Amino acid sequence: MTILWLTLSLLVLDPTEPLITRADLARALVRFEGAWRAAGRAPEEVERVNRAFDAVTLSFFGGRLGEAIGDLERLTASIRGEPDRAELAAWRARLEPPVWVSGSKAPTLKLERLYESAVASPPDVVVRHESGAPEIRLGGEDGHSWIDDPKLPHGRYELHLKRDGLSVVVGHWFVVAESLDAVRRRNEKKLAQLTFRDPPRQQALASTRARNELLSDRPSSSSTTQARMDLFSLQLQVAEEIEALAKGENPFRGRAGDTWRVFVHDGREHPLRIHAPSAVAERSAAAPLVIVCHGAGGDENMFFDAYGEGEIRRLAEEHGFLVASPSTLSLARDPEVFDAIVRGSSLDYWIDPKRVYVIGHSMGAGVVAELAVRRSDRIAAAVCIAGGGRFSAGQAPTLVIAAELDPLAAPARLEAATRTAAEAGAPVEYRLAKGYGHTLVVGDSLAEVVDWLLRER
C-alpha cells in the first residue's frame, strides 16, 4: 500500500498580525448567516443579535479583523446554543499547496489560530470530497498525517475542524490532474486568437477572459471571489466557454443559475454576479431586472452569499426576476455603469425595460438614491435600506427602510429627510424596522422589499 505523508505544521498567530484575510471574515460571515437564518426570532433575541452584529461591523470598519471574527464566531455559537463552537472556529486549517496536482510533492497541513481562545490544543482536521467519499482524518501525536491512497479523486474538498462532536467547515482544497496556472496560460493563448465585432460576443469574450484569470494554483485570500469559487468546476466551465466562443457562439446567452462575470464599460471591466432562474434563462417572457448594491466593505458577492444567506436569489426564483449584483464602487464612480449593466443583461436575457429596479444598502443606498433621481426614466422603483441621499419630485418611486437600532444611519435623520422630500412632492415612502440594526435588516426585509418593488412599473 502506498502512503502519502503530509507534514503537520502548527503555527499560532498573533491576532493583530495582518495574516487574517477577507476570506477568513467571509467564511465567518457565511457561518453566521446560516445560523441566523435557521434561528428563532423572539423580539429580545432579534435585538440582542442585531446589537452584537453592529458591534462586529464597527470592529471591521476599525480594521480590527481578528476581533471582528472572534466576536462574530462567538455570536454564531450563541445563536446555535453551542458555546464551544467559537473555540473550534478560532482555528484556520490550510493544506499547502491549496491546489494540489496529483502525484506531486505531498501537501503540508497548517493550523493557524485567528483569535485568542480558551482552548490552546489544536482540533482534528478532516478532509471531505464533494462526492461523499469517505473522509480523510489528518492529525496525530507524531506530528504527521497520512492518506492511504495518493490517487485521490479530483475535485473540491472541504476542510472540517472537529472536536467533541462539533464540526466547522473552515476552507477548501482542490485536487487536479494539471496545474491550474498551466491551464490558465493555455487558455489565454486560445482566447488571444478570438475577436468579435458584435456586442454580445465581445461581452462574452471579456467575461470568459476574466473568469479564466481566476484559475490559479494559489488563489488569493484577499479576493472573496477567488476564495469562494469552486476552481475545479470553473476550469471545466471555462473550457466549455472557450469551445463555444471558438464556434462563434455566446456561452452566456440564456445561462441559468449563479454566474460571476464582468461587463465592459468605457474600456474598464466591472465585476458582476448574476442569478437567472430557469424561467428567465429560457426567455419564455420578458423578465424584471433587479440590481442590488452592497454596503461599504462588501463586494459583488455580498448579496449572493450573505444578506440573509443569499435571500435575494431565493426571491428571484420565487418571483421570476433576474438579479444582478455589481461592485457598488463601480456605480458610485460612474452612473453610466448602471446603463451598461442593463444593456449588457439585455444581450443575454429578455429584460422588460419597464421593470428595472434597484436596491441598495448603506453606501449602496446612497448610490441607489442618486440613481433614482438621475435615471428616473429607466428605473421603475428603488429601495434604500439603512441609508439614503438626495430626493427629488421627479425621481423614481423610492422606499426608505430605516433600522431602529442603527448606529450608522440614524433612523431619525432618514425619517426627517423622507418626510421633507414627500412634502415637496417626491414619491418617497418611509418604513421603520423595529429591533433591527444596520446590516441584518437587509436580509430580513428583502421579501417585503421585493413585494413592494414588483408592484411598480
Side-chain angles (χ1 to χ4, degrees), residues 187 189-196 201 204-205 208 238-251:
N187 289 342
K189 293 179 181 179
K190 294 179 180 179
L191 289 166
Q193 298 173 5
L194 301 175
T195 57
F196 301 106
R201 288 185 297 176
L205 179 58
T208 298
V238 169
E240 293 174 353
E241 291 161 16
I242 293 174
E243 183 179 353
L245 287 165
K247 295 177 181 178
E249 301 170 357
N250 176 1

Side-chain angles (χ1 to χ4, degrees), residues 88-247:
L88 192 57
W91 296 87
R92 175 176 62 193
R94 292 188 298 166
L95 278 171
E96 294 287 347
V99 178
W100 184 63
V101 180
S102 295
S104 62
K105 181 180 177 182
T108 300
L109 172 65
K110 292 186 177 181
L111 278 172
E112 304 163 319
R113 197 158 62 193
L114 298 173
Y115 55 88
E116 291 298 333
S117 63
V119 180
S121 60
D124 292 330
V125 181
V126 168
V127 182
R128 291 180 183 170
H129 189 257
E130 59 186 359
S131 67
E135 65 183 28
I136 303 164
R137 184 174 296 275
L138 309 178
E141 295 180 359
D142 58 357
H144 294 81
S145 302
W146 60 90
I147 297 173
D148 289 339
D149 184 0
K151 297 180 179 178
L152 298 175
H154 296 158
R156 181 172 68 167
Y157 290 75
E158 286 184 341
L159 295 179
H160 291 248
L161 299 181
K162 284 191 170 185
R163 178 186 283 136
D164 299 330
L166 296 178
S167 177
V168 175
V169 180
V170 292
H172 295 94
W173 183 54
F174 299 93
V175 176
V176 296
E178 181 183 7
S179 160
L180 293 186
D181 288 339
V183 171
R184 184 187 69 251
R185 289 191 292 267
R186 185 170 62 249
N187 289 342
E188 288 171 352
K189 293 179 181 179
K190 294 179 180 179
L191 289 166
Q193 298 173 5
L194 301 175
T195 57
F196 301 106
R197 294 184 178 181
D198 58 298
R201 288 185 297 176
Q202 286 179 334
Q203 176 177 273
L205 179 58
S207 287
T208 298
R209 282 175 173 158
R211 287 163 59 78
N212 184 58
E213 285 301 309
L214 296 176
L215 296 176
S216 172
D217 291 336
R218 303 201 66 83
S220 171
S221 59
S222 63
S223 165
T224 57
T225 296
Q226 203 171 32
R228 60 159 288 280
M229 190 75 73
D230 181 347
L231 298 179
F232 181 80
S233 297
L234 179 63
Q235 68 169 331
L236 304 178
Q237 293 167 6
V238 169
E240 293 174 353
E241 291 161 16
I242 293 174
E243 183 179 353
L245 287 165
K247 295 177 181 178

